[in-house]
Every structure is written in C-alpha cells, then in structure tokens.
Amino acid sequence: GESIVVYNLNSDPAITTANAYVGDNRAAFSSVSAPTITLTAPTLFPFASPGKRFQVVQYPVTYACDPGAGVLRRYWGYPIAAAQPTSFAPGTNNALLARNISQCSFTYTTSGATQRTGVVALSLQVSQSGETVRLFQQAHVSNVP
C-alpha cells in the first residue's frame, strides 16, 4: 500500500501536474533492495527532483474536530484522492483523541513567493464543568520537494 512520490509541487486539486493527491507523480512499488526500488509499473514522472529526493507515502490522515459532538478524531487508511473528504464511511479506521472539545481550528499558511515554507497552527478549546482551557501550537513546515 505504499507509494513513491517524486517532486511534489501541488496539493490544489485544480492543479494536476506534480500533485501526489491527483497521482501523476506517485507510483506504487513492489520491492526494495538497496540501492534499488522497483516500481510496480513503469512510470514517467512529470519532473525530475532537483534535490534527487522522494517521499514514501502510505495513505492520507485526517484530524477531524466536531465541537457539536465535543470530539477530536484521527482517521486513516482511506484512499488518496484529489479532494479532502469531509465525512467518513462507518468502519473507516479512526481513533478518538480528545473529548469535551468546545472549539477548534487547524490552519496552514504558506509564505514567500515560492510557497516553500509555511506554518501549521492548531487551536483547541476544552471545556468541562464550567472551566475552559485553550491550547495553541504552531509548527514550521519546510515544503522542499
């Protein structure tokens, strides 16, 4: 179920070149025997990686916050698709991460002309018995393909 992704430049479903979610720069592999990775089928990737790098991906992961139900869940193991799912079928792999969630937001902001860096921010508000605590975390993301 793992794939090789070479020079991922886009995550916007409207842009279909060099986009691992669309799949033109993603290929399944059948074996690894250092220093060789054998792809399941011959694949012509749209661009060579200037840094001679690749990523190994398995499946997407979604962190879904539902303040109405007061829960934060992690979903995984569903197929890679161009559009992010907004709901999940019963039986989709998931784990309950937190209860008593009263507010949440996940944001990702790119910066610079080439959008090669960004910041992901997570804000969670947990409320119980009339008390509330707000948790906030930011992390720098280096988008070097």
Side-chain angles (χ1 to χ4, degrees):
E2 295 176 335
S3 298
I4 299 290
V5 174
V6 175
Y7 203 43
N8 196 48
L9 296 176
N10 297 297
S11 61
D12 181 343
I15 302 171
T16 59
T17 303
N19 185 332
Y21 295 98
V22 173
D24 71 328
N25 63 342
R26 186 180 75 232
F29 62 95
S30 56
S31 67
V32 176
S33 178
T36 303
I37 297 172
T38 304
L39 300 180
T40 303
T43 303
L44 180 60
F45 294 98
F47 303 108
S49 169
K52 310 259 188 273
R53 293 184 286 212
F54 62 90
Q55 288 78 40
V56 178
V57 299
Q58 188 173 32
Y59 46 73
V61 172
T62 295
Y63 293 89
C65 186
D66 183 351
V71 297
L72 172 64
R73 290 190 173 276
R74 179 183 189 268
Y75 292 89
W76 71 92
Y78 55 92
I80 296 172
Q84 171 70 30
T86 56
S87 63
F88 297 89
T92 301
N93 295 326
N94 73 88
L96 178 64
L97 301 179
R99 294 182 193 273
N100 303 313
I101 302 297
S102 57
Q103 182 275 331
C104 59
S105 68
F106 299 89
T107 59
Y108 176 70
T109 306
T110 57
S111 62
T114 61
Q115 298 185 354
R116 292 287 182 240
T117 63
V119 174
V120 64
L122 163 66
S123 174
L124 287 176
Q125 187 169 292
V126 183
S127 300
Q128 185 176 11
S129 302
E131 295 185 4
T132 299
V133 64
R134 183 171 180 248
L135 308 169
F136 182 76
Q137 180 68 46
Q138 288 183 315
H140 177 264
V141 179
S142 178
N143 292 320
V144 179

